[in-house]
DNA sequence: AAATCAGTTGCAAATGGTTTGCAATTAAAA
DNA sequence: TTTTAATTGCAAACCATTTGCAACTGATTT
């Protein structure tokens, strides 16, 4: 139940080899599409939609459906984390080994720019909420919204 | 920009007359479907999906599409607040007059039971996040997830 | 290097929530 | 009662995501 909200994005970019290693270990094949997808995720510090990944891919490299399937698989293996900015489109971000990827974002409602956030919902308060309602395994989903400096004027 | 996260659900149930009054004031018609929908929302302390509202309605009372349109309208008038539990289905809760409806929930991941939560993300921290990134009008979307007492064993 | 086989892919079709076009209907104002 | 703008139902469109399936391919075994 680790949830350290701690500077995930300061982690150095993961080696592609380390990523494919994780796949191999789970007896998943390293295919062209997958390598390409991981390569794109590796170079993006913010969550990407499947369509955005698709757009970055050299045209014809792979089908959109393949990306959907890859993200599902990577999520199940804990290699990417799914985020929901409330616009009905899933976004994915690469997660470091041993990290659960829990963190939050500040999103500009004008330009949809994204800032990675280090702060997390205070643990004591969350514990209090859990205890008060006798819930176990409590976690949270949290995103911030506002207007970024560029969009303010 | 009020965001008092304060005991919305302790508010006494709104009178139907007050609700229809708000509609009238905006030159919206009080129709059978709308009255029925408001009546259902009025009696439910937790967010409802359009389908759930539809199911509560006496069969044939109105079309599902009418509910979608009603909720859109009520949201625009600030009479209901839209919530997103991350399952791709919008949920709506009635909001008191003058209230912006901002609050949070604790959701059981097993039975999807919902608990209304009074706590909010600490204002000082949110202000710090806003200032640190020079964002204005910052707010947040926050929901808690866990396993409720009934589902624990 | 060839055979093997589970995992993977593309394409088309299905899904599920939500929105839209439009003609018929109706609440509320005149 | 007449008038008129708002509302409704129904069918179809939309959009993100999933699924079925036959063809294909990476990795492992002969
Ligand atoms: Mn992030
Ligand atoms: Mn609520
Ligand atoms: Zn957190
Ligand atoms: Zn809050």
């Amino acid at each position: 139940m680790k949830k350290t909200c701690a500077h995930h994005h300061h982690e150095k970019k993961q080696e592609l080899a380390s990523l494919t290693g994780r796949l191999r270990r789970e007896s998943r094949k390293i295919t062209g599409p997958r390598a390409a997808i991981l390569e794109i995720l590796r170079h993006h510090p913010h969550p990407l939609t499947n369509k955005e990944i698709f757009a970055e891919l050299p045209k014809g490299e792979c089908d959109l459906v393949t990306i959907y399937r890859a993200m599902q698989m990577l999520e199940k293996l804990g290699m990417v984390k799914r985020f929901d900015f409330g616009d009905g489109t899933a976004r994915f971000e690469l997660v470091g080994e041993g990290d659960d990827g829990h963190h939050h974002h500040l999103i500009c409602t004008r330009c949809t720019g994204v800032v990675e956030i280090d702060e997390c919902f205070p643990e004591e308060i969350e514990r209090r909420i859990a205890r008060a309602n006798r819930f176990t395994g409590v976690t949270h989903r949290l995103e911030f919204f506002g207007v970024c400096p560029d969009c303010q004027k």
Side-chain angles (χ1 to χ4, degrees), chain A:
Chain A
M1 210 98 314
K2 278 190 60 184
K3 192 181 3 172
T4 38
C5 264
H7 311 248
H8 311 269
H9 26 98
H10 297 155
E11 279 176 21
K12 68 161 75 65
K13 219 174 283 184
Q14 301 180 65
E15 296 292 339
L16 185 58
S18 131
L19 293 168
T20 56
R22 288 162 82 180
L23 285 185
R24 226 182 304 277
R25 241 173 285 143
E26 304 274 354
S27 52
R28 276 359 202 303
K29 295 180 179 173
I30 321 295
T31 63
R34 288 180 179 176
I37 291 170
L38 288 173
E39 197 56 22
I40 289 172
L41 288 172
R42 226 164 66 75
H43 289 71
H44 281 271
H46 302 312
L48 291 177
T49 66
N50 284 334
K51 270 233 267 288
E52 285 168 344
I53 294 171
F54 186 62
E56 299 266 335
L57 241 28
K59 61 224 154 291
E61 168 68 54
C62 89
D63 195 273
L64 220 208
V65 179
T66 300
I67 299 180
Y68 275 95
R69 286 197 266 235
M71 301 318 288
Q72 271 182 174
M73 188 258 307
L74 292 172
E75 186 186 21
K76 184 153 43 188
L77 299 195
M79 293 178 59
V80 300
K81 174 120 184 121
R82 176 190 299 258
F83 290 97
D84 178 2
F85 289 180
D87 66 348
T89 313
R91 278 156 223 268
F92 301 89
E93 200 171 310
L94 213 42
V95 164
E97 275 220 75
D99 181 8
D100 76 348
H102 179 93
H103 68 285
H104 313 288
H105 304 92
L106 171 55
I107 300 135
C108 178
T109 52
R110 297 259 173 80
C111 70
T112 69
V114 175
V115 177
E116 302 289 319
I117 298 296
D118 281 337
E119 351 271 333
C120 191
F121 189 82
E123 287 188 34
E124 338 71 87
I125 307 183
E126 182 167 272
R127 270 198 300 271
R128 187 207 307 154
I129 291 173
R131 200 161 49 78
N133 298 283
R134 289 198 226 73
F135 269 57
T136 55
V138 172
T139 181
H140 57 266
R141 197 192 297 311
L142 165 65
E143 305 294 353
F144 300 91
F145 299 86
V147 181
C148 79
D150 285 347
C151 291
Q152 278 164 40
K153 185 33 306 32

